Amino acid sequence: MPLSIGINQIIGAITLESFSIPQRILHWLTAALVLFNLLLPDGMNEWKRAIRHTGTATADQVAGANIHAYVGIGILLLVIVRLLLRHKSGVPDAPAEEPAIFTFASKLAHAILYLLLIAMPLTGMAAYYLGYNSAGNIHADVLKVILWAVIGTHVLGALVHQFYWKTNVLRRMTIG
Ligand code: HEM
Ligand code: HEM
């Protein structure tokens, strides 16, 4: 009996209440960079148009495209750090108030987000540096739309937590 109390106390002590500060910083930094590339891809699009129509681009057009490219590569690097941290420090359990089906849906949405944040930069790099137009089409026409849809669902889920189930999910990804 004393042994089982001891184990429960140990498990209680190691259960995570919140994401770690580096995990929280990385989440919001990544979110800001992803929204930047989603909302302001004009420099890259202009470079793409110039290459398609004239086969060449001006130094300004290349500089504009490089901002999109470097931000996207930055996202890929941050996601790799994030996944390593996640593996090392773990994440808090799903809140008990949440129905099981939603726990499954949010885990699925997070997995898809991580996959997209790897696939977007890789397809972009294949198009920009290696000239694979089909990768560019997947990047700009398919993955972009899926990314918007999953981010929309993700934000909606966070709001349902905050205002309907009134859980601490938003808090543990912000002030902790
Ligand atoms: C715009 C781009 C965004 C991306 C790519 C993104 C991505 C992610 C990912 C991958 C996770 C899973 C973390 C993990 O378990 O390792 C996560 C968690 C979370 N995100 Fe976002 N997110 C974005 C925006 C937002 C916004 C705008 C909000 C707030 C409304 C938000 C609120 C949260 C919360 C509260 C969690 C923690 C969920 C939990 O505790 O299970 N995210 N996000
Ligand atoms: C998560 C990171 C990224 C996001 C969210 C993103 C987002 C976008 C968006 C919204 C567009 C415009 C699509 C349209 O106008 O319909 C675009 C186009 C493009 N992006 Fe990215 N991008 C990312 C990373 C990258 C990287 C790392 C590169 C290259 C190094 C890149 C290269 C391109 C290219 C070449 C296009 C034009 C594709 C075409 O029209 O065929 N992107 N990207």
Side-chain angles (χ1 to χ4, degrees):
M1 195 62 178
L3 179 65
S4 80
I5 289 170
I7 289 170
N8 284 341
Q9 281 166 342
I10 292 165
I11 292 172
I14 60 172
T15 298
L16 292 174
E17 294 290 324
S18 158
F19 287 87
S20 69
I21 291 176
Q23 281 175 316
R24 282 180 255 154
I25 293 172
L26 283 170
H27 174 270
W28 293 108
L29 186 58
T30 312
L33 295 178
V34 169
L35 288 177
F36 176 85
N37 258 11
L38 279 174
L39 294 169
L40 302 167
D42 306 6
M44 181 56 88
N45 280 341
E46 207 180 303
W47 170 87
K48 172 80 195 176
R49 260 194 306 275
I51 293 290
R52 197 170 41 219
H53 291 133
T54 66
T56 177
T58 64
D60 278 355
Q61 285 164 336
V62 172
N66 277 341
I67 295 176
H68 182 89
Y70 297 155
V71 168
I73 292 168
I75 292 169
L76 178 62
L77 297 177
L78 291 179
V79 167
I80 292 169
V81 175
R82 233 175 123 176
L83 287 172
L84 291 174
L85 262 183
R86 192 179 203 282
H87 182 68
K88 189 171 160 280
S89 355
V91 290
D93 288 336
E97 298 87 336
E98 186 182 71
I101 181 79
F102 285 95
T103 302
F104 172 74
S106 76
K107 282 190 172 32
L108 186 67
H110 294 164
I112 296 173
L113 280 172
Y114 278 126
L115 282 177
L116 286 169
L117 296 190
I118 293 169
M120 278 303 274
L122 291 184
T123 48
M125 283 154 79
Y128 189 54
Y129 294 118
L130 305 175
Y132 289 121
N133 283 330
S134 51
N137 293 340
I138 293 173
H139 179 85
D141 298 334
V142 182
L143 297 183
K144 176 194 78 177
V145 178
I146 302 176
L147 183 57
W148 268 123
V150 185
I151 289 175
T153 312
H154 177 63
V155 172
L156 203 68
L159 295 178
V160 170
H161 265 286
Q162 184 67 22
F163 297 110
Y164 185 71
W165 289 314
K166 301 191 181 357
T167 62
N168 67 344
V169 163
L170 204 51
R171 186 185 172 97
R172 63 195 200 173
M173 194 44 116
T174 50
I175 52 177

